[in-house]
Coordinates of all heavy atoms in Angstrom, one line a residue:
K111 N 26.2 -57.5 -11.1 CA 27.1 -57.3 -9.9 C 26.3 -57.5 -8.6 O 26.9 -58.1 -7.6 CB 27.7 -55.9 -10.0 CG 28.7 -55.7 -9.0 CD 29.3 -54.3 -9.1 CE 30.4 -54.0 -8.1 NZ 31.0 -52.6 -8.3
M115 N 26.9 -60.6 -5.7 CA 27.3 -60.2 -4.3 C 26.7 -61.1 -3.3 O 25.5 -61.5 -3.5 CB 26.8 -58.7 -4.1 CG 27.5 -58.0 -3.0 SD 26.9 -56.3 -2.7 CE 27.4 -55.6 -4.3
L119 N 27.3 -59.0 2.3 CA 27.9 -57.8 1.8 C 26.7 -56.9 1.3 O 26.8 -55.7 1.4 CB 28.8 -58.1 0.7 CG 29.6 -57.0 0.1 CD1 30.5 -56.3 1.2 CD2 30.6 -57.5 -1.0
R122 N 25.3 -55.0 4.2 CA 26.2 -54.0 4.6 C 26.0 -52.7 3.7 O 26.0 -51.6 4.2 CB 27.6 -54.4 4.7 CG 27.9 -55.4 5.8 CD 29.4 -55.8 5.7 NE 29.7 -56.8 6.7 CZ 30.9 -57.4 6.8 NH1 31.8 -57.1 6.0 NH2 31.1 -58.3 7.8
E123 N 26.0 -53.0 2.4 CA 25.9 -51.8 1.5 C 24.6 -51.1 1.7 O 24.5 -49.9 1.6 CB 26.0 -52.4 0.1 CG 27.4 -52.8 -0.4 CD 28.4 -51.7 -0.5 OE1 27.9 -50.6 -0.8 OE2 29.5 -51.9 -0.2
A124 N 23.5 -51.9 2.0 CA 22.2 -51.2 2.2 C 22.2 -50.4 3.5 O 21.7 -49.3 3.5 CB 21.1 -52.3 2.3
R126 N 24.9 -49.0 4.8 CA 25.7 -47.8 4.6 C 24.9 -46.7 3.8 O 25.0 -45.5 4.1 CB 26.9 -48.2 3.8 CG 27.9 -47.1 3.4 CD 29.1 -47.6 2.7 NE 28.8 -48.2 1.5 CZ 28.5 -47.6 0.3 NH1 28.5 -46.2 0.3 NH2 28.2 -48.2 -0.8
K127 N 24.2 -47.1 2.8 CA 23.4 -46.1 2.1 C 22.3 -45.5 3.0 O 21.9 -44.3 2.8 CB 22.8 -46.8 0.9 CG 23.8 -47.1 -0.2 CD 23.2 -47.7 -1.4 CE 24.3 -48.0 -2.5 NZ 23.7 -48.7 -3.7
K129 N 22.5 -44.9 6.1 CA 23.1 -43.9 7.0 C 23.6 -42.7 6.3 O 23.9 -41.7 6.9 CB 24.3 -44.6 7.7 CG 23.9 -45.6 8.7 CD 25.2 -46.3 9.3 CE 24.8 -47.4 10.3 NZ 26.1 -48.0 10.9
G130 N 23.6 -42.7 4.9 CA 24.0 -41.5 4.1 C 25.5 -41.5 3.8 O 26.0 -40.4 3.4
I131 N 26.2 -42.6 4.1 CA 27.6 -42.7 3.8 C 27.8 -43.1 2.3 O 27.5 -44.3 2.0 CB 28.3 -43.6 4.7 CG1 28.1 -43.2 6.2 CG2 29.8 -43.7 4.4 CD1 28.6 -44.2 7.2
L132 N 28.2 -42.2 1.5 CA 28.3 -42.5 0.0 C 29.7 -42.4 -0.4 O 30.5 -41.7 0.1 CB 27.4 -41.5 -0.8 CG 26.0 -41.4 -0.5 CD1 25.3 -40.3 -1.3 CD2 25.3 -42.8 -0.8
K133 N 30.0 -43.2 -1.4 CA 31.4 -43.2 -2.0 C 31.5 -42.0 -3.0 O 30.4 -41.3 -3.3 CB 31.6 -44.5 -2.8 CG 31.7 -45.7 -1.9 CD 31.9 -46.9 -2.7 CE 31.9 -48.2 -1.9 NZ 32.1 -49.4 -2.7
L134 N 32.7 -41.6 -3.4 CA 32.9 -40.5 -4.3 C 32.3 -40.7 -5.6 O 31.7 -39.8 -6.2 CB 34.4 -40.3 -4.5 CG 34.9 -39.1 -5.4 CD1 34.3 -37.8 -4.8 CD2 36.4 -39.1 -5.6
K135 N 32.3 -41.9 -6.1 CA 31.7 -42.2 -7.4 C 30.2 -42.0 -7.3 O 29.6 -41.5 -8.3 CB 32.1 -43.7 -7.8 CG 31.7 -44.0 -9.2 CD 32.2 -45.4 -9.6 CE 31.9 -45.7 -11.0 NZ 32.4 -47.1 -11.3
E136 N 29.6 -42.5 -6.2 CA 28.1 -42.3 -6.1 C 27.7 -40.9 -5.9 O 26.7 -40.5 -6.4 CB 27.7 -43.1 -4.8 CG 27.8 -44.6 -5.0 CD 27.5 -45.4 -3.7 OE1 27.4 -44.7 -2.7 OE2 27.5 -46.6 -3.8
K137 N 28.6 -40.1 -5.2 CA 28.3 -38.6 -5.1 C 28.3 -38.0 -6.5 O 27.5 -37.1 -6.8 CB 29.3 -38.0 -4.2 CG 29.1 -38.4 -2.7 CD 30.2 -37.7 -1.9 CE 30.1 -38.1 -0.4 NZ 31.1 -37.5 0.4
V138 N 29.3 -38.3 -7.3 CA 29.4 -37.7 -8.7 C 28.2 -38.1 -9.5 O 27.7 -37.3 -10.3 CB 30.7 -38.2 -9.3 CG1 30.8 -37.7 -10.8 CG2 31.9 -37.6 -8.6
V139 N 27.8 -39.4 -9.4 CA 26.6 -39.8 -10.1 C 25.4 -39.0 -9.7 O 24.6 -38.6 -10.6 CB 26.4 -41.3 -9.9 CG1 25.1 -41.8 -10.5 CG2 27.5 -42.1 -10.6
L140 N 25.2 -38.8 -8.4 CA 24.0 -38.1 -8.0 C 24.0 -36.6 -8.4 O 23.0 -36.0 -8.8 CB 23.9 -38.1 -6.4 CG 23.6 -39.5 -5.8 CD1 23.7 -39.4 -4.3 CD2 22.1 -39.9 -6.2
K141 N 25.3 -36.0 -8.4 CA 25.4 -34.6 -8.9 C 25.1 -34.5 -10.4 O 24.4 -33.6 -10.8 CB 26.8 -34.2 -8.6 CG 27.1 -32.7 -8.9 CD 28.5 -32.3 -8.6 CE 28.8 -30.9 -9.0 NZ 30.2 -30.5 -8.7

Side-chain angles (χ1 to χ4, degrees):
K111 188 177 180 180
M115 198 182 296
L119 188 59
R122 287 179 182 175
E123 290 290 328
R126 180 176 61 79
K127 289 180 181 179
K129 291 179 182 178
I131 302 169
L132 300 175
K133 295 179 181 179
L134 179 61
K135 192 175 181 181
E136 293 173 351
K137 291 179 181 178
V138 173
V139 169
L140 290 172
K141 185 180 178 182

